[in-house]
Amino acid sequence: MFTKRKISDIIYLGIIIIILIVLSLTIEESKHKIEIIELEGNNYLSKEHYLNFANLKDNSNYENLSLAIIRDRVSKHPYIENVNVKYEENNKVTITVKEKGIYSLLSIDNSQFLLSNRFEVLPVLSGIKDLDYPVISNPNVEEKIKEFDFLNKSNEIQISSKIIQTLKLSNIELYENLSEIDLRKGGDIIIYFSIINYPVVIGRQNEIYKIFYFNEIWNSLKQSEINDIIDYIDLRYNNFIYLGIGNILSESKENQI
């Protein structure tokens, strides 16, 4: 049987081996001469944007770089979720980035943000390539929303997310043409679609059930002439649907919604 001292010696030796391995990797990495840095995996912003952000565009600044430093700089970008940095042949380094998933724009108090699929509030940066996301507007929140907040505990944002996901699962046409979910500061929820010339009022409670119900209605209405004269669809009442003639958003009726 091993004595306590022998066990202690083995543990100590193992720690020394680990430290030597880490040091050898660090020393080996520092020996690499870097002349070219390329970036791939970007979708939202250009490669030049990410390299400029990390101060990696000018190769005259490469002398003291290591893979760890490059990784750390790029990972600080607000749109980046993961970074992989690899040393290639011919003094070249390849950076592969994975950007955060974005599923909507958030509009509140005349400010716009991006909302990630982890409910993180991200800034809208200049040069972003595609902003074709549904807008979540006017959520009822107690505190001012700031960049890099996480809204996973917000009931308003959770409801909006469920509406978006339900449309994605039930009707890809409606999902791809979803323009806005107006939460109206806690009032009745109104949804807008780019292919529909009128709003869809779903109110509050049973939102997912109402989305499925509207999907069935839309499949019938979109081929019907009546669709051209409808001014709104009202799904606020259980087991009833109202096809409205007359603007439900007019001043005389706005307080009733």
Side-chain angles (χ1 to χ4, degrees), residues 73-88:
R73 289 188 188 179
V74 177
S75 65
K76 285 183 169 65
H77 194 282
Y79 290 2
I80 297 299
E81 183 173 306
N82 289 313
V83 182
N84 183 51
V85 183
K86 182 179 180 182
Y87 188 84
E88 312 280 1

Side-chain angles (χ1 to χ4, degrees), residues 96-155:
T96 305
V97 298
K98 179 183 178 183
E99 296 165 317
K100 296 174 182 178
I102 296 173
Y103 83 94
S104 73
L105 280 164
L106 179 62
S107 178
I108 182 169
D109 298 331
N110 298 318
S111 298
Q112 276 200 336
F113 306 95
L114 295 170
L115 196 60
S116 81
N117 53 12
R118 294 185 179 180
F119 305 106
E120 183 183 7
V121 179
L122 302 174
V124 178
L125 298 179
S126 175
I128 189 168
K129 297 178 182 179
D130 188 2
L131 282 177
D132 189 19
Y133 302 103
V135 177
I136 299 173
S137 63
N138 303 312
N140 184 29
V141 292
E142 295 181 359
E143 299 180 0
K144 182 178 177 62
I145 291 176
K146 304 182 297 298
E147 292 177 0
F148 310 115
D149 283 347
F150 281 87
L151 304 181
N152 51 305
K153 294 184 180 180
S154 168
N155 186 56

